[in-house]
Amino acid sequence: MIKQPLLLSKVNVVYAIVVGVMAVLPFVLDSRTMTILLTQFCIFAILAMSYDILLGYTGIISFGHAMFFGIGAYTTAIMLSDYGPSIGIFAVSIVVGIVLSAIISVISGALTLRLKSHFYAMFTLAISGLFLVLAEKWRTVTKGNDGFTFRAPELFRERLYFYFLVLICLVVVFILLKRIVASPFGKVLVAIRENEQRTRSLGYKTLGYKIIASVIAGAVASLAGSLYAISLRFVNTSVMTMDITLDALMMTIIGGVGTLIGPIIGAGVIEFAQHYLSGLAREYPIFERWIIFFGILYILAVIFFPRGIVGTVSLRYHEWKLKKGQKTKASVKLREKEIQR
Amino acid sequence: MEPIIKTSNLSIKFGEHKAVDNINFEMSAKHFKSIIGPNGAGKTTFFNLISGELEPTEGDVFFKGLSLRKKSSVERTRLGIGRSFQITNVFPNLTVLENVRLAVQSKRKVRFHMLNHFLKYKEITNEAIGILEQVLLTDKMHQVANQLSHGEKRKLEIGMLLALDTEILLLDEPTAGMSLEEVPAILDVIRSIKERGDKTILLIEHKMDMIIDLSDSIMVLFNGALLADGTPEEIMNNETVQQAYLGGLAYD
């Protein structure tokens, strides 16, 4: 019979251990750079997971995801500099950012999600372009291209505390999204990805599901943006640019689309690779152009690992299991499905 | 008795071509009607008009007297018109069970539940398994739909339709492309639905023995128009039908 996964399943135990390791890592390494890098990694992991809800689960390609990240970053930065750097204001700014993102994604979703995928992608690009221009031109609020610095709440000036906050956010978002994708609602999202017309003929109004998915993704991205602003204590228009969207896209694809854990791993790979590749530049000048290596890495990943790291590993694992003949074919297939989701 | 489904002057034009031409038909509840006609007679288009996949250029469809003109295919499904597709149209990368469960979930209106694991809804899974028993797919339950044989996919189609539990079932060539050995199984499934007697069924088929065996009445489409409508005997003895269906008219 089919059973619900246990709370103390093997996978969950592994997750718990990983979180534990990540929590003690800054003490072991004891380096400021490392703590900052880990913080960045967690923030982008949150962003990439939110992107995976769209790309991996609902099958929506958005080129405008940076706009929600930017909305979160600007909301937090502006509120902290205007109303003073307190934890309370910070918390409120996160909520305000999420609400703003939700409203904007409902409006833009209702306008554009009826479109076929590639038209939708173009529209999201246009809308996020609009927000980028807004951030550049609305100088009284955003200080234009140069951006502005602001004071972070006292507590977060200690890098370590802030890292813990971000780590907790990562865990909470992961659990929350994991629940959502395993819910009946999440199953409908996957159905839309697989065959939208068929989903409709089963009696689901797919537009509503797609809008809700984009609201969830937008809200989570906005949270990531708020955290990002605090981590830099500075914000400028770069948070709204296509680069952010592309980062999220690549982290999701390299890690494994439609897995949630994949984007986290993808974020780790990319953040740390970025760090070390640009570090190598001191010895080998060619690495000043580390972006080139990244381009090659991306192309290779898409050609040889279209399922991403997690997808490929779980496939190999199940093939290996199949060979060992430990399980019946049917149950292995089921496990494979569960892991893909 | 009021007809459960009715069309009036139903027509659709693709450019100058009238794919469905002024069809008036009605059907009472719990009736089994088959639609026959040569290829290109507009049978599937007729289904598409009823299920809301296409919009008529003229005329209207009525479900229990209610005009469906402004209703989307989603709303029609929810009202009680379910359909299967001629070209297999399942969720290719989901398991057989998941395919059916999605249909059950829709019928039970578990649509926007976000925070509970889907396996908490045991009754949904159990009902889906029950449906799979009916369409003889229990042993393939955990296979990805992609890996099924053609005949099995057709069974899955019917299973999903059954799971929706709509009053009207539109079956579009359920045995299309199946091997001869696979046909009897589908036939049994359809017969058992009929014998339960709570569904109104419209069936598009080419296999005449199957149609005559199952149908209460048969309608014949030809070049988009309704050529004849009557009991199996009437249709078999109708000369125009014989000409249209068995040669002559069809290929001139």
Side-chain angles (χ1 to χ4, degrees):
Chain A
M1 222 41 253
I2 300 153
K3 288 207 190 82
Q4 217 177 314
L6 296 168
L7 188 63
L8 274 176
S9 66
K10 260 190 230 164
V11 183
N12 286 354
V13 171
V14 172
Y15 286 160
I17 293 171
V18 171
V19 172
V21 169
M22 282 190 61
V24 296
L25 214 51
F27 298 103
V28 179
L29 298 166
D30 196 25
S31 110
R32 207 175 110 88
T33 339
M34 244 5 219
T35 312
I36 293 174
L37 190 59
L38 283 169
T39 310
Q40 292 284 337
F41 153 59
C42 290
I43 291 172
F44 277 95
I46 295 174
L47 178 69
M49 275 196 292
S50 77
Y51 197 75
D52 198 27
I53 293 291
L54 292 180
L55 180 70
Y57 286 91
T58 326
I60 300 172
I61 298 177
S62 161
F63 287 142
H65 211 51
M67 107 183 139
F68 301 115
F69 189 77
I71 287 169
Y74 269 107
T75 309
T76 295
I78 291 166
M79 285 183 70
L80 284 181
S81 72
D82 283 4
Y83 303 110
S86 77
I87 299 278
I89 296 291
F90 170 64
V92 173
S93 80
I94 286 182
V95 175
V96 172
I98 287 175
V99 170
L100 273 178
S101 293
I103 292 170
I104 288 164
S105 62
V106 167
I107 295 170
S108 71
L111 286 175
T112 57
L113 277 169
R114 291 169 201 277
L115 299 170
K116 288 257 182 302
S117 59
H118 39 296
F119 294 112
Y120 170 76
M122 289 299 119
F123 254 99
T124 53
L125 187 60
I127 293 175
S128 74
L130 220 61
F131 272 88
L132 178 59
V133 172
L134 187 72
E136 271 168 15
K137 300 296 175 194
W138 198 2
R139 303 191 67 91
T140 45
V141 176
T142 64
K143 314 276 194 304
N145 253 335
D146 302 333
F148 58 95
T149 54
F150 58 92
R151 283 155 55 97
E154 195 67 47
L155 184 68
F156 299 148
R157 256 169 255 169
E158 176 58 62
R159 289 277 170 192
L160 202 57
Y161 292 149
F162 184 62
Y163 169 65
F164 284 129
L165 172 76
V166 174
L167 184 61
I168 290 167
C169 285
L170 175 66
V171 172
V172 170
V173 168
F174 178 71
I175 292 172
L176 194 69
L177 292 183
K178 201 84 191 159
R179 284 210 85 130
I180 290 176
V181 298
S183 71
F185 170 80
K187 293 290 151 185
V188 180
L189 293 188
V190 173
I192 292 173
R193 176 191 77 195
E194 292 294 319
N195 188 342
E196 183 171 353
Q197 182 237 351
R198 185 57 165 145
T199 313
R200 236 181 279 129
S201 86
L202 286 183
Y204 297 104
K205 290 186 175 161
T206 52
L207 181 66
Y209 291 86
K210 283 157 76 178
I211 290 176
I212 293 176
S214 74
V215 168
I216 294 170
V220 173
S222 164
L223 169 69
S226 291
L227 297 171
Y228 185 70
I230 296 279
S231 80
L232 295 184
R233 297 167 207 173
F234 166 73
V235 68
N236 71 358
T237 49
S238 71
V239 293
M240 288 270 190
T241 54
M242 190 68 194
D243 292 8
I244 299 284
T245 307
L246 284 182
D247 272 348
L249 177 71
M250 285 308 164
M251 286 165 183
T252 312
I253 289 179
I254 287 186
V257 170
T259 56
L260 279 188
I261 193 72
I264 298 179
I265 293 174
V269 168
I270 289 184
E271 282 297 323
F272 284 88
Q274 244 173 28
H275 178 75
Y276 286 110
L277 284 180
S278 53
L280 280 177
R282 258 169 261 142
E283 286 169 55
Y284 310 96
I286 180 89
F287 282 101
E288 293 203 9
R289 300 278 170 271
W290 53 267
I291 290 266
I292 298 173
F293 293 94
F294 253 55
I296 296 168
L297 188 71
Y298 288 155
I299 294 168
L300 292 179
V302 172
I303 294 174
F304 295 105
F305 302 100
R307 289 157 169 269
I309 297 168
V310 172
T312 309
V313 168
S314 81
L315 188 72
R316 292 279 171 277
Y317 173 72
H318 286 289
E319 279 171 0
W320 171 75
K321 269 224 158 152
L322 204 64
K323 261 194 204 139
K324 267 178 77 182
Q326 259 184 353
K327 307 261 170 170
T328 63
K329 207 175 167 185
S331 77
V332 170
K333 283 281 175 272
L334 177 71
R335 293 284 301 279
E336 185 185 327
K337 290 317 296 174
E338 274 169 6
I339 283 168
Q340 272 179 27
R341 293 297 147 242
Chain B
M1 197 168 70
E2 195 187 358
I4 186 163
I5 189 137
K6 186 177 128 180
T7 66
S8 67
N9 305 325
L10 194 66
S11 310
I12 188 167
K13 265 191 189 173
F14 298 117
E16 277 309 295
H17 173 64
K18 278 198 163 176
V20 168
D21 189 1
N22 207 22
I23 293 188
N24 290 292
F25 109 106
E26 57 178 61
M27 203 174 156
S28 48
K30 293 163 191 149
H31 196 77
F32 194 119
K33 192 191 267 301
S34 295
I35 303 177
I36 60 172
N39 286 330
K43 302 181 297 283
T44 297
T45 313
F46 181 65
F47 265 20
N48 283 337
L49 288 172
I50 294 179
S51 69
E53 240 84 7
L54 291 174
E55 238 181 86
T57 33
E58 247 180 89
D60 200 354
V61 182
F62 297 90
F63 176 75
K64 296 180 176 170
L66 174 78
S67 163
L68 296 183
R69 185 162 260 286
K70 291 264 179 278
K71 303 271 186 240
S72 67
S73 59
V74 176
E75 288 165 309
R76 292 180 199 207
T77 306
R78 291 190 185 176
L79 277 172
I81 304 174
R83 75 170 294 183
S84 77
F85 292 82
Q86 181 182 9
I87 300 157
T88 327
N89 192 357
V90 295
F91 300 107
N93 296 315
L94 304 186
T95 64
V96 170
L97 180 62
E98 277 173 340
N99 267 278
V100 178
R101 195 164 45 205
L102 276 163
V104 177
Q105 196 187 312
S106 170
K107 179 195 72 178
R108 289 186 174 245
K109 300 190 171 53
V110 180
R111 296 195 180 117
F112 287 102
H113 298 217
M114 264 186 219
L115 291 176
N116 283 325
H117 199 282
F118 70 99
L119 290 177
K120 270 221 176 102
Y121 301 83
K122 286 204 185 63
E123 66 288 355
I124 292 180
T125 308
N126 291 340
E127 188 175 335
I129 292 172
I131 300 272
L132 288 175
E133 274 164 17
Q134 287 179 42
V135 294
L136 315 170
L137 278 176
T138 338
D139 52 331
K140 307 277 174 177
M141 186 152 71
H142 298 308
Q143 271 191 31
V144 178
N146 245 342
Q147 300 172 335
L148 296 182
S149 74
H150 181 74
E152 287 162 347
K153 281 184 192 159
R154 308 296 312 177
K155 287 191 219 165
L156 178 56
E157 273 278 340
I158 294 183
M160 287 164 81
L161 182 57
L162 279 180
L164 274 180
D165 202 21
T166 50
E167 279 179 76
I168 298 183
L169 307 179
L170 306 175
L171 297 168
D172 195 350
E173 290 202 43
T175 65
M178 283 173 80
S179 64
L180 275 177
E181 307 87 76
E182 288 173 318
V183 173
I186 287 280
L187 204 62
D188 286 345
V189 172
I190 296 175
R191 184 174 292 120
S192 70
I193 305 170
K194 184 192 161 159
E195 274 161 14
R196 262 186 290 151
D198 54 346
K199 302 282 183 216
T200 310
I201 302 170
L202 261 172
L203 170 74
I204 295 178
E205 251 307 335
H206 281 298
K207 298 189 175 63
M208 283 309 288
D209 46 344
M210 176 171 163
I211 291 169
I212 290 167
D213 181 29
L214 286 168
S215 311
D216 300 322
S217 69
I218 297 175
M219 65 189 259
V220 187
L221 294 190
F222 186 70
N223 283 343
L226 185 61
L227 195 68
D229 191 348
T231 63
E233 296 80 47
E234 283 167 16
I235 295 297
M236 290 320 288
N237 299 324
N238 184 323
E239 254 175 54
T240 356
V241 173
Q242 283 183 359
Q243 264 190 320
Y245 204 70
L246 305 171
L249 281 174
Y251 303 103
D252 63 12

